[in-house]
Amino acid sequence: MFIGIDIGTSGSKGVLTDADGTILARAERPHEVSMPYPGWVEHDAETVWWADFAAIARELVDASAGGRLEGLGISGIGPCLLPADAEGNPLRPAILYGVDTRATVEIGELGHELGPGEVLERAGSPLTSQAVGPKLRWLARHEPEIYARTRMLLMASSFLVRRLTGRYVLDHQSASQCVPMYDLRTREWASDWSEHCAPGLPLPELAWPTEVVGRVTAEGATATGLPEGLPVTTGTVDAWAEAASVGVRAPGDAMVMYGTTMFLVQILTRPRPHPGLWGTCGAWPDTYALAAGMATSGAVTEWLRRLVGGEFGDLIAEAGKVPAGSRGLLMLPYFAGERTPLFDPDARGVIAGLTTSHGRDELYRAALEATGYGVRHNLEAMSDAGGRARRLVAVGGGTKGGLWTQIVSDVTGLPQELPAETVGACLGNALLAAEAAGLDTSEWNPVTTIIEPDAERQAIYDQYYRRYRELYESTTDITHFLATEQHRAADHG
């Protein structure tokens, strides 16, 4: 049996599987982020990451009823920055991935010093709020006493691996998101740029997510209930474990993850840098990836649900009766700025065409359609980079109900495969642990449904998509002004 555990933004999940990928038990713990200042988004590594992990591990070990456990895989949100001392003890709360925008000044500085073209070519990604390098410079500048004590750069998965095994190690995929500190061409730390961003910081050893990097120590076993000596794999960022969970691993495969935010991962055989996307290593040694992430998706539908009332099931049923185009409504889903391919933190949500005759059913469908347009925009950017997707696999809680996935297929004109299990990254971690143990996982989590696009609705959405792209361009000056006003209001309480 294998255990996979994932630490997410708003909750942690774990599964216990047998050798053929069948899920035998599940466990889950909710948690929240901390946002102490505007633009700051953090997790406490002890009370969130470690506490969740230990509780889920103990629950799954109990569910194994004394059966033999053969491996443990871990993933977590990333890329994150958790500064730790020489013993791996956290020195402050972890600074989270691209949703934390505190290092805007440092992003500009490093881009000027290193050259944006040079960074994109060497690191595979542009410098954005997703990058770790600027956040390390921010730490050295604003919390110098913390930086002076920092001897380890940890993320959610590597923190847990360190706590369980004593190893200071990071997977290549996570390291490739430490822009500009990792050279995607050589797949090693870029020692010169790492020293430029984080002088004197010892960097972790690199390994692949399918490698066993240690075993659970006696101390780790006591804290979690895991058996001493259990093999532990390197771990990785959650989205890549999620892609593994649904068999996205061959060149041309792409995952669309439906959640609080929409995230896409496409597998490549070589780097294909694009200024509007993240280029990274894949989870396996012979792969690379292009990644894209919208700032919102499920977050907008949840906002609408709270605003108009009702349950998701009712809203989906009502929206399903509305024709394509939401009776003349067009929405920009940039309610928290936008990540790829715009990288515009001051973009804002727009609802165009709204009249007093529109109701919550049209609004809800317009929100689903808006995320579909965002997915198409990102897939077009991937195609521009030379990485056209040949197979789309849908995963995540938003796949339930069928309407959202159908709209995305209609908007993009592409079929999507739905696997039997959409539990996500925790299952991918168990799969990676099984591969590390030498098992064949090719039959894990088979596809059970294929969603085909509807040609009539696709033709309608082609027209709306063109206007969607035009709407952003034509409203940018206004939304940026409004974003500035919002920042000013927040600064003055």
Side-chain angles (χ1 to χ4, degrees), residues 60 148 179 274 315 412:
L60 294 175
V179 179
H274 186 286
L315 290 168
T412 61

Side-chain angles (χ1 to χ4, degrees), residues 60 72 82 96 100 112 125 157 209 220 225 269 278 319 324 326 332 338 372 377 391 404 460 481:
L60 294 175
L72 167 68
L82 176 65
L96 299 195
D100 186 294
H112 176 74
S125 300
S157 59
T269 56
W278 299 303
S326 301
L332 297 182
E338 186 55 302
H377 195 183
R391 173 177 173 251
W404 198 359
I460 295 170
F481 166 77

Side-chain angles (χ1 to χ4, degrees), residues 11 48 117 136 143 146 205 210 253 269 313 346 371:
V48 175
L136 279 164
E143 298 179 359
I146 297 293
E205 178 187 350
T210 52
D253 286 356
T269 56
D346 288 334
T371 60

Side-chain angles (χ1 to χ4, degrees), residues 81-207:
L81 167 57
L82 176 65
D85 64 18
E87 302 304 316
N89 298 310
L91 297 172
R92 69 171 325 280
I95 300 171
L96 299 195
Y97 52 101
V99 294
D100 186 294
T101 58
R102 73 184 70 193
T104 302
V105 170
E106 290 75 16
I107 290 169
E109 288 176 353
L110 286 171
H112 176 74
E113 292 161 9
L114 303 177
E118 289 79 0
V119 170
L120 182 62
E121 180 63 26
R122 188 180 188 187
S125 300
L127 283 163
T128 69
S129 63
Q130 191 87 342
V132 170
K135 291 174 181 177
L136 279 164
R137 178 174 281 194
W138 181 94
L139 183 69
R141 174 175 290 158
H142 294 278
E143 298 179 359
E145 70 290 349
I146 297 293
Y147 185 81
R149 297 166 55 201
T150 299
R151 293 295 177 270
M152 291 186 183
L153 160 61
L154 298 175
M155 298 191 191
S157 59
S158 60
F159 167 71
L160 296 170
V161 169
R162 167 71 185 183
R163 184 65 60 89
L164 291 168
T165 70
R167 292 287 304 280
Y168 178 37
V169 61
L170 185 66
D171 69 292
H172 281 273
Q173 201 295 310
S174 300
S176 68
Q177 297 199 59
C178 292
V179 179
M181 299 164 61
Y182 183 93
D183 191 324
L184 192 60
R185 301 167 304 182
T186 63
R187 301 211 280 194
E188 296 291 344
W189 291 115
S191 57
D192 52 345
W193 284 4
S194 296
E195 184 65 18
H196 186 76
C197 295
L201 177 63
L203 297 175
E205 178 187 350
L206 296 173

Side-chain angles (χ1 to χ4, degrees), residues 371-381 411-412 458 461-462 465:
T371 60
Y373 303 138
V375 169
R376 178 169 170 176
H377 195 183
N378 278 292
L379 287 173
E380 287 181 355
V411 169
T412 61
Q458 183 184 343
Y461 285 136
D462 283 346
Y465 177 68

